[in-house]
Amino acid sequence: MQLDDLYRRVIMDHYKNPRNRGRFEDDVVTVDLNNPTCGDRISLQLKTKDGVVEDARFTGEGCSISMSSASMMTEAVKGKTIDQALDMANRFSSLMKGEAAEFNDYEELEALSGVNKFPARIKCATLAWNALRKGIDEEQ
C-alpha cells in the first residue's frame, strides 16, 4: 500500500468515524468558526484545568478534510498543556505551508500533509486549529 493510500484511509476513517464529536453539557469554552468560501463550520468546545486541555469536542458540517482535521485535532490535544497544544497548532500550520513538521505525539496528523498541494483546501484543514487557538485565547 502506498503512503497516499494510507493517508486517504486515515482521513476517511476520521471523517466516517469522528472522534470526540458531540457537546459538553457543562460550562466550557466554546468557539464557533466557519469558512465562508466553502461552507465548512465548526463548534469547538474545550475543557481546560490548570493549564491542561482535559478534553475537547466538536460539532459541525463540512468536507472530509475539515471534519477529519477536527477529529484528529481533538484527539491530539487532549492531555496536552496549553503551550504544547499551541506548539502543535504551529507545527500543523507549518505542515500546511509545505514545511517539514513532525508529530511524534500524534502521527495521524501527517495524513493531512498532502493538503498543502491544494491551496483552496488549506482553510478546510486549519479551521479546527484556528478554533483551538481562539478558544485558548479566550480561556486565558
Side-chain angles (χ1 to χ4, degrees):
M1 179 184 308
Q2 291 187 343
L3 193 57
D4 285 345
D5 291 336
L6 176 63
Y7 283 172
R8 245 185 257 96
R9 287 181 187 209
V10 169
I11 290 168
M12 290 312 293
D13 180 52
H14 275 273
Y15 179 63
K16 292 178 180 178
N17 306 295
R19 283 58 153 186
N20 307 304
R21 189 167 184 88
R23 299 188 66 78
F24 295 116
E25 296 300 321
D26 42 350
D27 188 31
V28 294
V29 174
T30 302
V31 176
D32 297 312
L33 286 183
N34 69 1
N35 180 355
T37 59
C38 68
D40 294 341
R41 61 179 185 78
I42 186 172
S43 180
L44 176 68
Q45 292 187 309
L46 296 172
K47 275 189 182 183
T48 61
K49 184 177 180 182
D50 299 326
V52 174
V53 179
E54 286 190 330
D55 209 347
R57 291 193 185 166
F58 77 98
T59 58
E61 295 176 356
C63 68
S64 60
I65 298 296
S66 68
M67 295 296 102
S68 296
S69 184
S71 175
M72 290 181 207
M73 184 274 296
T74 57
E75 280 289 285
V77 300
K78 281 199 282 186
K80 302 284 190 255
T81 66
I82 298 295
D83 288 341
Q84 289 170 326
L86 287 173
D87 176 63
M88 193 175 284
N90 290 336
R91 284 185 280 145
F92 189 79
S93 291
S94 294
L95 184 70
M96 291 299 102
K97 294 175 187 171
E99 299 168 5
E102 289 186 15
F103 295 96
N104 297 329
D105 35 8
Y106 194 75
E107 292 178 352
E108 285 191 354
L109 289 170
E110 293 173 18
L112 293 165
S113 62
V115 171
N116 66 38
K117 297 174 188 160
F118 306 96
R121 303 303 299 273
I122 292 173
K123 286 184 180 180
C124 302
T126 58
L127 184 64
W129 294 92
N130 292 335
L132 173 69
R133 284 188 181 101
K134 186 174 179 183
I136 289 172
D137 284 347
E138 289 178 12
E139 181 67 15
Q140 293 178 339

